[in-house]
């Protein structure tokens, strides 16, 4: 499947309520596997948009919703760190400390650089 068919797809909580949209996929360089997705939610006309980074394996495609359902709570998503800088900022984290924060939050073992 092409990445642009995933990007822009809605993300729903376990009850079927839309909580966000997939902005982009984060792919591990060596294996080419999708490790995380950048989910955006909130905001209006691009203002006050929040980014949160979720492991790809926490989402499953729901045909009935024509989007992805998460296997975690909305609170876990909102409390998750973001691979990107400040809210609404598309700058990639500049240091490994913040990458480690992301992996620690999700209890995700390092699999190589993102």
């Amino acid at each position: 499947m092409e990445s642009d068919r995933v990007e822009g797809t809605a993300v729903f909580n376990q009850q079927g309520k839309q909580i966000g949209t997939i902005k982009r996929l984060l792919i591990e360089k060596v294996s080419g596997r999708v490790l995380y997705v950048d989910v955006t939610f909130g905001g209006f006309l691009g203002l006050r948009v929040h980014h949160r980074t979720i492991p790809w394996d926490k989402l499953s495609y729901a045909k009935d919703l024509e989007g992805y359902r998460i296997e975690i709570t909305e609170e876990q998503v909102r409390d998750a760190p973001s691979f990107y800088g400040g809210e609404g900022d598309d700058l990639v984290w500049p240091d490994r400390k913040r990458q480690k924060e992301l992996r620690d939050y999700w209890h995700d073992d390092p699999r190589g650089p993102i």
Side-chain angles (χ1 to χ4, degrees):
M1 175 181 294
E2 299 89 2
S3 64
D4 62 347
R5 294 195 55 173
V6 175
E7 295 164 350
T9 303
V11 176
F12 298 89
N13 65 12
Q14 295 166 338
Q15 293 73 39
K17 174 188 166 204
Q18 184 176 347
I19 63 164
T21 304
I22 294 176
K23 170 130 179 152
R24 65 177 55 93
L25 307 175
L26 297 159
I27 301 169
E28 196 268 324
K29 289 180 183 180
V30 176
S31 71
R33 289 185 32 222
V34 174
L35 297 181
Y36 297 97
V37 291
D38 174 32
V39 176
T40 58
F41 58 94
F44 180 71
L45 298 176
L47 302 172
R48 301 185 54 79
V49 172
H50 302 280
H51 291 257
R52 293 296 177 262
T53 305
I54 301 170
W56 175 247
D57 61 4
K58 301 283 186 199
L59 293 109
S60 58
Y61 190 75
K63 288 182 183 179
D64 60 324
L65 298 172
E66 296 184 3
Y68 290 89
R69 181 176 276 133
I70 57 170
E71 300 174 8
I72 52 179
T73 67
E74 191 171 342
E75 291 76 28
Q76 285 176 294
V77 173
R78 292 189 189 278
D79 291 343
S82 177
F83 189 78
Y84 295 90
E87 299 304 328
D89 185 357
D90 283 343
L91 297 176
V92 174
W93 276 354
D95 59 47
R96 296 205 182 269
K97 178 182 172 197
R98 294 185 72 189
Q99 290 179 17
K100 183 179 180 326
E101 178 185 343
L102 175 69
R103 289 183 173 125
D104 288 349
Y105 182 84
W106 293 112
H107 308 288
D108 189 23
D109 294 328
R111 292 170 275 189
I114 297 174

